[in-house]
Coordinates of all heavy atoms in Angstrom, one line a residue:
F986 N 0.8 -1.2 0.0 CA 0.0 0.0 0.0 C 0.9 1.2 0.0 O 1.9 1.3 0.7 CB -0.9 0.0 1.2 CG -1.8 1.2 1.3 CD1 -2.9 1.3 0.6 CD2 -1.4 2.2 2.2 CE1 -3.7 2.4 0.7 CE2 -2.2 3.3 2.3 CZ -3.4 3.4 1.6
T987 N 0.5 2.2 -0.8 CA 1.2 3.5 -0.9 C 0.2 4.6 -0.6 O -0.9 4.5 -1.2 CB 1.9 3.7 -2.2 OG1 2.8 2.6 -2.5 CG2 2.6 5.0 -2.3
E988 N 0.6 5.6 0.1 CA -0.3 6.7 0.4 C -0.6 7.4 -0.9 O 0.4 7.6 -1.7 CB 0.3 7.7 1.4 CG 0.4 7.1 2.8 CD -1.0 6.9 3.4 OE1 -1.9 7.8 3.2 OE2 -1.1 6.0 4.2
P989 N -1.8 7.9 -1.2 CA -2.1 8.6 -2.4 C -1.4 9.9 -2.5 O -1.2 10.4 -3.6 CB -3.6 8.8 -2.4 CG -4.1 8.0 -1.3 CD -3.0 7.6 -0.4
E990 N -0.9 10.5 -1.4 CA -0.2 11.7 -1.5 C 1.3 11.6 -1.7 O 2.0 12.5 -1.9 CB -0.4 12.5 -0.2 CG -1.8 13.1 -0.1 CD -2.1 14.1 -1.2 OE1 -1.3 14.9 -1.6 OE2 -3.3 13.9 -1.8
D991 N 1.8 10.3 -1.7 CA 3.2 10.0 -2.0 C 3.5 10.2 -3.5 O 3.1 9.3 -4.3 CB 3.6 8.6 -1.5 CG 5.0 8.3 -1.7 OD1 5.8 9.2 -2.1 OD2 5.4 7.2 -1.4
Q992 N 4.1 11.2 -3.8 CA 4.4 11.5 -5.3 C 5.3 10.5 -5.9 O 5.2 10.4 -7.2 CB 4.8 12.9 -5.5 CG 6.3 13.2 -5.1 CD 6.7 14.6 -5.3 OE1 5.9 15.5 -5.5 NE2 8.0 14.9 -5.3
S993 N 6.1 9.9 -5.2 CA 7.1 8.9 -5.9 C 6.3 7.8 -6.6 O 6.8 7.4 -7.7 CB 8.1 8.4 -4.8 OG 7.4 7.6 -3.9
G994 N 5.3 7.3 -6.0 CA 4.5 6.3 -6.7 C 3.9 6.8 -8.0 O 3.8 6.1 -9.0
W995 N 3.4 8.0 -8.0 CA 2.8 8.6 -9.1 C 3.8 8.9 -10.2 O 3.5 8.8 -11.4 CB 2.0 9.9 -8.8 CG 0.8 9.5 -7.9 CD1 0.7 9.7 -6.5 CD2 -0.4 8.9 -8.3 NE1 -0.5 9.2 -6.1 CE2 -1.2 8.8 -7.2 CE3 -0.9 8.5 -9.5 CZ2 -2.4 8.2 -7.2 CZ3 -2.1 7.9 -9.6 CH2 -2.9 7.8 -8.4
M996 N 5.0 9.3 -9.8 CA 6.1 9.5 -10.8 C 6.4 8.2 -11.5 O 6.7 8.2 -12.7 CB 7.3 10.2 -10.2 CG 7.0 11.5 -9.6 SD 6.6 12.7 -10.9 CE 5.8 13.9 -10.0
Y997 N 6.5 7.2 -10.7 CA 6.8 5.9 -11.2 C 5.7 5.4 -12.1 O 6.0 4.9 -13.2 CB 7.1 4.8 -10.1 CG 7.3 3.4 -10.6 CD1 8.5 3.2 -11.3 CD2 6.4 2.4 -10.4 CE1 8.7 1.9 -11.8 CE2 6.6 1.2 -10.9 CZ 7.8 0.9 -11.6 OH 8.0 -0.4 -12.1
H998 N 4.5 5.6 -11.8 CA 3.3 5.2 -12.6 C 3.4 6.0 -13.9 O 3.2 5.4 -15.0 CB 2.0 5.6 -11.9 CG 0.8 5.3 -12.7 ND1 0.2 6.3 -13.5 CD2 0.1 4.2 -12.9 CE1 -0.9 5.7 -14.1 NE2 -0.9 4.5 -13.7
R999 N 3.7 7.2 -13.9 CA 3.8 8.0 -15.2 C 4.9 7.4 -16.1 O 4.7 7.3 -17.3 CB 4.1 9.5 -14.8 CG 4.1 10.4 -15.9 CD 4.4 11.8 -15.4 NE 4.3 12.8 -16.5 CZ 4.4 14.0 -16.4 NH1 4.6 14.6 -15.2 NH2 4.4 14.8 -17.4
W1000 N 6.1 7.2 -15.5 CA 7.2 6.6 -16.2 C 6.8 5.2 -16.8 O 7.0 4.9 -18.0 CB 8.4 6.5 -15.3 CG 9.6 5.8 -16.0 CD1 10.5 6.4 -16.8 CD2 9.9 4.4 -15.9 NE1 11.4 5.4 -17.2 CE2 11.0 4.2 -16.7 CE3 9.3 3.3 -15.3 CZ2 11.6 3.0 -16.8 CZ3 9.9 2.1 -15.4 CH2 11.1 1.9 -16.2
L1001 N 6.2 4.4 -16.0 CA 5.8 3.0 -16.4 C 4.8 3.1 -17.5 O 4.9 2.4 -18.5 CB 5.3 2.3 -15.2 CG 5.0 0.8 -15.4 CD1 6.3 0.0 -15.7 CD2 4.4 0.2 -14.1
L1002 N 3.8 3.9 -17.4 CA 2.8 4.0 -18.4 C 3.4 4.5 -19.7 O 3.1 4.0 -20.8 CB 1.7 5.0 -17.9 CG 0.4 5.0 -18.8 CD1 -0.2 3.7 -18.9 CD2 -0.5 6.0 -18.3
R1003 N 4.2 5.5 -19.6 CA 4.9 6.1 -20.9 C 5.7 5.0 -21.6 O 5.6 4.8 -22.8 CB 5.7 7.3 -20.5 CG 6.3 7.9 -21.7 CD 7.2 9.1 -21.5 NE 6.8 9.9 -20.3 CZ 7.6 10.2 -19.3 NH1 8.8 9.8 -19.2 NH2 7.1 10.9 -18.3
N1004 N 6.4 4.2 -20.8 CA 7.3 3.2 -21.4 C 6.4 2.0 -21.9 O 6.7 1.5 -23.0 CB 8.3 2.7 -20.4 CG 9.4 3.6 -20.2 OD1 9.7 4.4 -21.1 ND2 10.0 3.5 -19.0
T1005 N 5.4 1.7 -21.2 CA 4.5 0.7 -21.7 C 3.8 1.1 -23.0 O 3.7 0.3 -23.9 CB 3.4 0.3 -20.6 OG1 4.1 -0.1 -19.4 CG2 2.4 -0.7 -21.1
M1006 N 3.3 2.3 -23.0 CA 2.6 2.8 -24.2 C 3.6 2.8 -25.4 O 3.2 2.4 -26.5 CB 2.0 4.1 -24.0 CG 0.9 4.1 -22.9 SD -0.5 3.1 -23.2 CE -1.3 4.1 -24.4
S1007 N 4.8 3.3 -25.2 CA 5.7 3.5 -26.3 C 6.2 2.1 -26.8 O 6.3 1.9 -28.0 CB 6.9 4.3 -26.0 OG 7.7 3.7 -25.0
T1008 N 6.3 1.1 -25.9 CA 6.7 -0.2 -26.3 C 5.6 -0.9 -27.1 O 5.9 -1.5 -28.1 CB 7.1 -1.0 -25.1 OG1 8.1 -0.4 -24.4 CG2 7.5 -2.5 -25.4
S1009 N 4.4 -0.8 -26.6 CA 3.3 -1.5 -27.3 C 3.0 -0.9 -28.7 O 2.7 -1.6 -29.6 CB 2.0 -1.4 -26.5 OG 1.5 -0.1 -26.4
T1010 N 3.2 0.4 -28.8 CA 2.9 1.0 -30.1 C 4.1 0.9 -31.1 O 3.9 0.7 -32.3 CB 2.6 2.5 -30.0 OG1 3.7 3.2 -29.3 CG2 1.3 2.8 -29.3
S1011 N 5.3 0.8 -30.6 CA 6.5 0.6 -31.5 C 6.7 -0.8 -31.9 O 7.2 -1.1 -33.0 CB 7.7 1.2 -30.8 OG 8.1 0.4 -29.7
S1012 N 6.3 -1.8 -31.1 CA 6.6 -3.2 -31.4 C 5.4 -3.9 -32.1 O 5.6 -4.9 -32.6 CB 7.0 -3.9 -30.1 OG 5.9 -4.0 -29.2
A1013 N 4.3 -3.3 -32.0 CA 3.1 -3.9 -32.7 C 3.1 -3.7 -34.2 O 3.3 -2.6 -34.6 CB 1.8 -3.4 -32.1
G1014 N 2.9 -4.8 -34.9 CA 2.9 -4.7 -36.3 C 1.5 -4.2 -36.9 O 1.5 -3.5 -37.9
D1015 N 0.5 -4.4 -36.2 CA -0.9 -4.0 -36.6 C -1.2 -2.7 -35.8 O -1.5 -2.7 -34.6 CB -1.8 -5.2 -36.2 CG -3.3 -4.9 -36.7 OD1 -3.5 -3.9 -37.4 OD2 -4.1 -5.7 -36.4
D1016 N -1.3 -1.6 -36.6 CA -1.6 -0.3 -36.0 C -3.0 -0.3 -35.3 O -3.1 0.3 -34.3 CB -1.5 0.8 -37.1 CG -0.1 1.1 -37.5 OD1 0.8 0.7 -36.7 OD2 0.1 1.6 -38.6
A1017 N -4.0 -0.9 -35.9 CA -5.3 -0.9 -35.3 C -5.3 -1.7 -34.0 O -5.9 -1.2 -33.0 CB -6.3 -1.6 -36.3
K1018 N -4.5 -2.8 -33.9 CA -4.5 -3.5 -32.7 C -3.7 -2.8 -31.6 O -4.1 -2.7 -30.5 CB -3.8 -4.9 -33.0 CG -3.8 -5.8 -31.7 CD -3.1 -7.1 -32.1 CE -3.1 -8.0 -30.8 NZ -2.5 -9.3 -31.0
S1019 N -2.6 -2.1 -32.0 CA -1.9 -1.3 -31.0 C -2.6 -0.1 -30.5 O -2.6 0.2 -29.4 CB -0.5 -0.9 -31.6 OG -0.6 0.0 -32.7
D1020 N -3.4 0.5 -31.4 CA -4.3 1.6 -31.0 C -5.3 1.1 -30.0 O -5.6 1.8 -29.0 CB -5.0 2.3 -32.2 CG -4.0 3.1 -33.0 OD1 -2.9 3.4 -32.5 OD2 -4.4 3.5 -34.1
A1021 N -5.9 0.0 -30.3 CA -6.9 -0.6 -29.4 C -6.3 -0.9 -28.0 O -6.9 -0.6 -27.0 CB -7.6 -1.8 -30.0
T1022 N -5.1 -1.5 -28.0 CA -4.4 -1.8 -26.8 C -4.1 -0.6 -26.0 O -4.3 -0.5 -24.8 CB -3.1 -2.6 -27.1 OG1 -3.5 -3.8 -27.8 CG2 -2.4 -2.9 -25.8
A1023 N -3.7 0.5 -26.7 CA -3.4 1.7 -26.0 C -4.6 2.3 -25.4 O -4.6 2.8 -24.3 CB -2.7 2.7 -27.0
R1024 N -5.7 2.3 -26.2 CA -7.0 2.9 -25.6 C -7.5 2.1 -24.4 O -7.9 2.7 -23.4 CB -8.1 2.9 -26.7 CG -7.9 4.0 -27.7 CD -9.1 4.1 -28.6 NE -9.5 2.9 -29.3 CZ -9.0 2.6 -30.5 NH1 -8.1 3.4 -31.1 NH2 -9.3 1.4 -31.1
E1025 N -7.3 0.8 -24.5 CA -7.7 -0.1 -23.3 C -6.9 0.2 -22.1 O -7.4 0.3 -21.0 CB -7.6 -1.5 -23.7 CG -8.7 -2.0 -24.7 CD -8.4 -3.5 -25.2 OE1 -7.5 -4.1 -24.6 OE2 -9.1 -3.9 -26.1
T1026 N -5.6 0.4 -22.3 CA -4.7 0.7 -21.2 C -5.1 2.0 -20.6 O -5.2 2.2 -19.4 CB -3.2 0.7 -21.7 OG1 -2.9 -0.6 -22.2 CG2 -2.3 1.0 -20.5
L1027 N -5.3 3.1 -21.4 CA -5.6 4.4 -20.9 C -7.0 4.3 -20.2 O -7.1 4.9 -19.1 CB -5.7 5.4 -22.1 CG -4.4 5.7 -22.7 CD1 -4.6 6.6 -24.0 CD2 -3.4 6.5 -21.7
A1028 N -7.9 3.6 -20.7 CA -9.3 3.5 -20.1 C -9.2 2.8 -18.7 O -9.8 3.2 -17.8 CB -10.2 2.8 -21.0
R1029 N -8.4 1.8 -18.7 CA -8.2 1.0 -17.4 C -7.6 1.9 -16.4 O -8.0 1.9 -15.2 CB -7.4 -0.3 -17.7 CG -7.3 -1.1 -16.4 CD -6.4 -2.3 -16.7 NE -5.0 -1.9 -16.9 CZ -4.3 -2.1 -18.0 NH1 -4.9 -2.8 -19.0 NH2 -3.1 -1.7 -18.2
E1030 N -6.5 2.6 -16.7 CA -5.8 3.4 -15.8 C -6.7 4.6 -15.3 O -6.7 5.0 -14.2 CB -4.5 3.9 -16.4 CG -3.5 2.8 -16.6 CD -3.1 2.0 -15.4 OE1 -2.8 2.7 -14.3 OE2 -3.1 0.8 -15.4
A1031 N -7.4 5.1 -16.3 CA -8.3 6.2 -15.9 C -9.4 5.8 -14.9 O -9.7 6.5 -14.0 CB -9.0 6.8 -17.2
A1032 N -9.9 4.6 -15.1 CA -11.0 4.0 -14.2 C -10.4 3.8 -12.8 O -11.0 4.1 -11.8 CB -11.5 2.7 -14.8
L1033 N -9.1 3.4 -12.7 CA -8.5 3.2 -11.4 C -8.3 4.6 -10.8 O -8.5 4.7 -9.5 CB -7.2 2.5 -11.6 CG -7.3 1.0 -12.0 CD1 -5.9 0.4 -12.4 CD2 -8.0 0.2 -10.9
C1034 N -7.9 5.6 -11.5 CA -7.8 6.9 -11.0 C -9.1 7.5 -10.5 O -9.1 8.2 -9.4 CB -7.1 7.9 -12.0 SG -5.4 7.6 -12.2
R1035 N -10.2 7.3 -11.2 CA -11.5 7.7 -10.8 C -11.9 7.1 -9.5 O -12.4 7.7 -8.6 CB -12.5 7.4 -11.9 CG -12.5 8.3 -13.1 CD -13.6 7.9 -14.1 NE -13.2 8.4 -15.4 CZ -12.8 7.6 -16.3 NH1 -12.7 6.3 -16.2 NH2 -12.5 8.1 -17.5
E1036 N -11.6 5.8 -9.4 CA -11.9 5.0 -8.2 C -11.2 5.6 -7.0 O -11.7 5.8 -5.9 CB -11.7 3.6 -8.3 CG -12.0 2.7 -7.2 CD -11.7 1.2 -7.4 OE1 -11.5 0.8 -8.5 OE2 -11.7 0.5 -6.4
L1037 N -9.9 5.8 -7.2 CA -9.0 6.3 -6.1 C -9.4 7.8 -5.7 O -9.4 8.1 -4.6 CB -7.6 6.2 -6.5 CG -6.6 6.6 -5.4 CD1 -6.8 5.8 -4.1 CD2 -5.1 6.5 -5.9
R1038 N -9.8 8.5 -6.7 CA -10.3 9.9 -6.5 C -11.5 9.9 -5.6 O -11.6 10.8 -4.7 CB -10.6 10.6 -7.8 CG -11.1 12.0 -7.8 CD -11.6 12.5 -9.1 NE -12.7 11.7 -9.5 CZ -13.3 11.7 -10.7 NH1 -12.7 12.4 -11.6 NH2 -14.3 11.0 -11.0
E1039 N -12.4 8.9 -5.8 CA -13.6 8.9 -4.9 C -13.2 8.4 -3.5 O -13.8 8.8 -2.5 CB -14.6 7.9 -5.5 CG -15.1 8.4 -6.9 CD -15.6 9.8 -6.8 OE1 -16.4 10.2 -5.9 OE2 -15.3 10.6 -7.8
L1040 N -12.2 7.5 -3.4 CA -11.8 7.0 -2.1 C -11.0 8.0 -1.3 O -11.1 8.1 -0.1 CB -11.0 5.7 -2.2 CG -11.7 4.5 -2.8 CD1 -10.8 3.4 -3.1 CD2 -12.8 4.0 -1.8
E1041 N -10.3 8.8 -2.0 CA -9.4 9.8 -1.4 C -9.7 11.2 -2.0 O -8.9 11.7 -2.8 CB -7.9 9.5 -1.6 CG -7.5 8.2 -1.0 CD -7.4 8.3 0.5 OE1 -7.2 9.4 1.1 OE2 -7.4 7.2 1.2
P1042 N -10.8 11.8 -1.7 CA -11.2 13.1 -2.4 C -10.3 14.3 -2.2 O -10.3 15.2 -3.0 CB -12.6 13.4 -1.8 CG -12.7 12.6 -0.5 CD -11.8 11.4 -0.7
G1043 N -9.4 14.2 -1.2 CA -8.5 15.3 -1.0 C -7.2 15.2 -1.6 O -6.3 16.1 -1.5
S1044 N -6.9 14.1 -2.3 CA -5.6 13.8 -2.9 C -5.6 14.4 -4.3 O -6.4 14.1 -5.2 CB -5.4 12.3 -3.0 OG -4.2 12.0 -3.6
K1045 N -4.5 15.1 -4.6 CA -4.4 15.7 -5.9 C -3.8 14.8 -7.0 O -4.1 15.0 -8.2 CB -3.5 17.0 -5.8 CG -2.1 16.7 -5.5 CD -1.3 18.0 -5.5 CE 0.2 17.7 -5.3 NZ 1.0 18.9 -5.2
W1046 N -3.0 13.8 -6.6 CA -2.3 13.0 -7.6 C -3.2 12.1 -8.4 O -3.0 12.1 -9.7 CB -1.3 12.1 -6.9 CG -0.1 13.0 -6.4 CD1 0.1 13.4 -5.2 CD2 0.9 13.6 -7.2 NE1 1.2 14.2 -5.1 CE2 1.7 14.4 -6.4 CE3 1.1 13.6 -8.6 CZ2 2.8 15.1 -6.9 CZ3 2.2 14.3 -9.1 CH2 3.0 15.0 -8.2
P1047 N -4.3 11.5 -7.9 CA -5.2 10.8 -8.8 C -5.9 11.8 -9.8 O -6.1 11.4 -11.0 CB -6.2 10.2 -7.9 CG -5.6 10.2 -6.6 CD -4.7 11.3 -6.5
V1048 N -6.2 13.0 -9.4 CA -6.8 14.0 -10.2 C -5.9 14.4 -11.3 O -6.2 14.5 -12.5 CB -7.4 15.1 -9.4 CG1 -8.0 16.2 -10.3 CG2 -8.3 14.7 -8.3
A1049 N -4.6 14.7 -11.0 CA -3.6 15.1 -11.9 C -3.4 14.0 -13.0 O -3.2 14.3 -14.2 CB -2.4 15.6 -11.2
T1050 N -3.3 12.8 -12.5 CA -3.0 11.7 -13.4 C -4.2 11.4 -14.3 O -4.0 11.2 -15.5 CB -2.7 10.4 -12.5 OG1 -1.5 10.7 -11.7 CG2 -2.4 9.2 -13.4
L1051 N -5.4 11.6 -13.8 CA -6.6 11.4 -14.6 C -6.6 12.4 -15.7 O -6.9 12.1 -16.8 CB -7.8 11.5 -13.7 CG -9.2 11.3 -14.5 CD1 -9.2 10.0 -15.2 CD2 -10.3 11.4 -13.5
A1052 N -6.3 13.7 -15.4 CA -6.2 14.7 -16.4 C -5.2 14.4 -17.5 O -5.5 14.5 -18.7 CB -5.9 16.1 -15.7
R1053 N -4.1 13.9 -17.1 CA -3.1 13.5 -18.1 C -3.6 12.3 -19.0 O -3.4 12.3 -20.2 CB -1.8 13.2 -17.4 CG -0.6 13.0 -18.3 CD 0.7 12.8 -17.6 NE 1.0 13.9 -16.7 CZ 1.0 13.9 -15.4 NH1 0.6 12.8 -14.8 NH2 1.3 14.9 -14.7
L1054 N -4.2 11.4 -18.3 CA -4.7 10.2 -19.1 C -5.8 10.6 -20.0 O -5.8 10.2 -21.2 CB -5.2 9.1 -18.1 CG -4.2 8.4 -17.3 CD1 -4.9 7.6 -16.2 CD2 -3.4 7.5 -18.1
C1055 N -6.7 11.5 -19.6 CA -7.8 12.0 -20.5 C -7.2 12.7 -21.7 O -7.8 12.6 -22.8 CB -8.7 12.8 -19.7 SG -9.8 11.9 -18.5
E1056 N -6.2 13.5 -21.4 CA -5.6 14.2 -22.5 C -5.0 13.2 -23.6 O -5.1 13.4 -24.8 CB -4.5 15.1 -22.0 CG -3.8 15.9 -23.1 CD -2.7 16.8 -22.5 OE1 -2.1 16.5 -21.5 OE2 -2.4 17.8 -23.2
S1057 N -4.4 12.2 -23.1 CA -3.8 11.2 -24.0 C -4.8 10.4 -24.8 O -4.5 9.9 -25.8 CB -3.0 10.2 -23.1 OG -1.9 10.8 -22.5
M1058 N -6.1 10.3 -24.3 CA -7.1 9.6 -25.0 C -7.4 10.3 -26.3 O -7.8 9.6 -27.3 CB -8.4 9.5 -24.1 CG -8.2 8.5 -23.0 SD -9.7 8.5 -22.0 CE -9.2 7.7 -20.6
G1059 N -7.3 11.6 -26.4 CA -7.6 12.3 -27.6 C -9.0 12.3 -28.1 O -9.3 12.3 -29.3
T1060 N -10.0 12.2 -27.1 CA -11.4 12.2 -27.5 C -12.1 13.5 -26.9 O -11.5 14.1 -26.0 CB -12.1 11.0 -27.0 OG1 -12.1 11.0 -25.5 CG2 -11.5 9.7 -27.5
E1061 N -13.3 13.8 -27.4 CA -14.0 14.9 -26.9 C -14.4 14.6 -25.4 O -14.3 15.5 -24.6 CB -15.3 15.2 -27.7 CG -15.0 15.8 -29.1 CD -16.2 16.1 -29.8 OE1 -17.3 16.4 -29.2 OE2 -16.2 16.1 -31.1
E1062 N -14.8 13.4 -25.1 CA -15.1 13.0 -23.8 C -13.9 13.2 -22.9 O -14.0 13.6 -21.7 CB -15.7 11.6 -23.7 CG -17.0 11.4 -24.4 CD -16.8 11.1 -25.9 OE1 -15.7 10.8 -26.4 OE2 -17.8 11.2 -26.6
G1063 N -12.8 12.7 -23.4 CA -11.6 12.9 -22.6 C -11.2 14.3 -22.3 O -10.8 14.7 -21.2
D1064 N -11.4 15.2 -23.4 CA -11.1 16.6 -23.2 C -12.0 17.2 -22.1 O -11.6 18.0 -21.3 CB -11.2 17.3 -24.5 CG -10.2 17.0 -25.5 OD1 -9.1 16.4 -25.1 OD2 -10.3 17.2 -26.7
A1065 N -13.3 16.8 -22.2 CA -14.2 17.4 -21.2 C -13.9 16.9 -19.8 O -13.9 17.7 -18.8 CB -15.7 16.9 -21.6
E1066 N -13.5 15.6 -19.6 CA -13.2 15.1 -18.3 C -11.8 15.7 -17.8 O -11.7 16.0 -16.7 CB -13.1 13.6 -18.3 CG -12.9 13.1 -16.9 CD -13.0 11.6 -16.8 OE1 -13.1 10.9 -17.9 OE2 -13.0 11.0 -15.7
R1067 N -11.0 16.0 -18.8 CA -9.7 16.6 -18.4 C -9.9 18.0 -17.9 O -9.4 18.4 -16.9 CB -8.8 16.7 -19.6 CG -7.5 17.4 -19.4 CD -6.6 17.5 -20.6 NE -5.4 18.1 -20.4 CZ -5.2 19.5 -20.5 NH1 -6.1 20.2 -21.0 NH2 -4.0 20.0 -20.2
A1068 N -10.8 18.8 -18.5 CA -11.2 20.1 -18.1 C -11.7 20.1 -16.7 O -11.4 20.9 -15.8 CB -12.1 20.8 -19.0
K1069 N -12.6 19.1 -16.4 CA -13.2 19.0 -15.0 C -12.2 18.6 -14.0 O -12.2 19.1 -12.9 CB -14.3 18.0 -15.1 CG -15.6 18.4 -15.8 CD -16.6 17.3 -15.8 CE -17.8 17.6 -16.6 NZ -18.8 16.5 -16.7
S1070 N -11.2 17.8 -14.4 CA -10.2 17.3 -13.5 C -9.2 18.5 -13.2 O -8.8 18.7 -12.0 CB -9.4 16.2 -14.1 OG -10.2 15.0 -14.2
L1071 N -8.9 19.3 -14.2 CA -8.1 20.5 -13.9 C -8.7 21.5 -13.0 O -8.1 22.1 -12.2 CB -7.6 21.1 -15.3 CG -6.7 20.3 -16.1 CD1 -6.4 20.9 -17.5 CD2 -5.4 20.0 -15.4
E1072 N -10.0 21.7 -13.2 CA -10.8 22.6 -12.3 C -10.7 22.0 -10.9 O -10.5 22.8 -9.9 CB -12.2 22.8 -12.8 CG -13.0 23.7 -12.0 CD -12.3 25.1 -11.8 OE1 -11.7 25.6 -12.8 OE2 -12.4 25.7 -10.7
R1073 N -11.0 20.8 -10.7 CA -10.9 20.1 -9.4 C -9.5 20.3 -8.8 O -9.3 20.5 -7.6 CB -11.3 18.7 -9.5 CG -11.4 18.0 -8.2 CD -12.0 16.6 -8.3 NE -12.1 16.0 -7.0 CZ -12.7 14.9 -6.7 NH1 -13.4 14.3 -7.7 NH2 -12.8 14.4 -5.5
L1074 N -8.5 20.1 -9.6 CA -7.1 20.2 -9.2 C -6.8 21.6 -8.7 O -6.1 21.8 -7.7 CB -6.2 19.8 -10.3 CG -4.7 19.6 -10.0 CD1 -4.5 18.6 -8.9 CD2 -4.0 19.2 -11.2
R1075 N -7.4 22.6 -9.4 CA -7.2 24.0 -8.9 C -7.8 24.2 -7.5 O -7.2 25.0 -6.7 CB -7.8 25.0 -9.9 CG -7.1 25.2 -11.2 CD -7.7 26.2 -12.1 NE -7.1 26.2 -13.4 CZ -7.5 25.5 -14.4 NH1 -8.7 24.8 -14.3 NH2 -6.9 25.5 -15.6
R1076 N -8.9 23.6 -7.3 CA -9.5 23.7 -5.9 C -8.7 23.0 -4.9 O -8.6 23.4 -3.7 CB -11.0 23.2 -6.0 CG -11.9 24.1 -6.7 CD -13.4 23.7 -6.5 NE -13.7 22.3 -6.8 CZ -14.0 21.8 -7.9 NH1 -14.1 22.6 -9.0 NH2 -14.3 20.5 -8.0
L1077 N -8.2 21.8 -5.3 CA -7.4 21.0 -4.3 C -6.0 21.6 -4.0 O -5.5 21.5 -2.9 CB -7.2 19.6 -4.9 CG -8.4 18.7 -4.9 CD1 -8.1 17.4 -5.6 CD2 -8.8 18.4 -3.5
D1078 N -5.5 22.3 -5.0 CA -4.1 22.8 -4.8 C -4.0 24.2 -5.3 O -3.4 24.5 -6.3 CB -3.1 21.9 -5.6 CG -1.7 22.0 -5.2 OD1 -1.4 22.7 -4.2 OD2 -0.8 21.5 -6.0
P1079 N -4.6 25.2 -4.6 CA -4.7 26.6 -5.1 C -3.3 27.2 -5.1 O -3.1 28.2 -5.9 CB -5.6 27.2 -4.1 CG -5.6 26.4 -2.8 CD -5.3 25.0 -3.3
M1080 N -2.3 26.7 -4.4 CA -1.0 27.3 -4.5 C -0.3 27.1 -5.8 O 0.7 27.8 -6.1 CB -0.1 26.8 -3.3 CG -0.6 27.0 -2.0 SD -0.5 28.8 -1.5 CE 1.2 28.9 -1.4
R1081 N -0.7 26.2 -6.6 CA -0.1 25.8 -7.9 C -0.7 26.6 -9.1 O -0.3 26.4 -10.2 CB -0.2 24.3 -8.1 CG 0.4 23.5 -7.0 CD 1.9 23.7 -6.9 NE 2.4 22.9 -5.8 CZ 3.0 23.5 -4.8 NH1 3.3 24.7 -4.8 NH2 3.4 22.7 -3.8
E1082 N -1.7 27.4 -8.8 CA -2.4 28.0 -10.0 C -1.5 29.0 -10.7 O -0.6 29.6 -10.2 CB -3.6 28.8 -9.5 CG -4.8 28.2 -10.1 CD -6.1 29.0 -9.7 OE1 -6.6 28.7 -8.6 OE2 -6.5 29.8 -10.5

C-alpha cells in the first residue's frame, strides 16, 4: 500500500505508463491492434484513478494523473473530463495556480 499523497509512486506510474505505451505502439505490427491496446490501457488506468479519486477526495495525484490520461485519450469526452479534472485540481491545490 502506498499513500495517495506520496508523489514517488505517481512519478513511477507516469514513467511506467509512458514506457508501456511506447513499447506497445512501437513493437506492434498491426496499427489498429496497437491503438486498441493503447486505448484499453488508458481507459483502465483512468478508471482506477477515478476510483481512487472517490476513495481519497482530498488527494491531488489521482486527479492530476486522470487529467493527463484523459488528454492522452484524444477524444471529446476525454477533453471534457480533463477540463473538469483540472478545475478540481485548482480547488485542491490553489498554491499551484
Side-chain angles (χ1 to χ4, degrees):
F986 177 79
T987 301
E988 290 293 325
E990 288 301 316
D991 181 3
Q992 73 179 15
S993 62
W995 293 103
M996 296 298 160
Y997 177 67
H998 177 265
R999 187 177 183 177
W1000 175 84
L1001 187 62
L1002 188 62
R1003 185 180 326 127
N1004 284 337
T1005 301
M1006 298 298 286
S1007 67
T1008 300
S1009 69
T1010 57
S1011 66
S1012 64
D1015 184 5
D1016 288 341
K1018 184 177 179 181
S1019 64
D1020 286 348
T1022 302
R1024 283 192 303 275
E1025 288 172 10
T1026 300
L1027 292 171
R1029 183 185 65 241
E1030 294 301 312
L1033 292 170
C1034 285
R1035 286 184 202 101
E1036 183 179 344
L1037 186 55
R1038 178 188 65 190
E1039 298 306 315
L1040 293 171
E1041 297 287 340
S1044 179
K1045 70 179 182 178
W1046 289 103
V1048 179
T1050 301
L1051 181 58
R1053 189 173 302 107
L1054 290 167
C1055 288
E1056 180 180 28
S1057 297
M1058 288 179 195
T1060 64
E1061 287 184 31
E1062 295 85 12
D1064 290 344
E1066 188 171 9
R1067 178 179 180 268
K1069 288 178 186 176
S1070 294
L1071 290 175
E1072 182 55 40
R1073 184 173 182 169
L1074 191 57
R1075 284 184 191 94
R1076 290 190 309 270
L1077 286 172
D1078 195 10
M1080 298 292 289
R1081 305 291 176 238
E1082 240 183 281

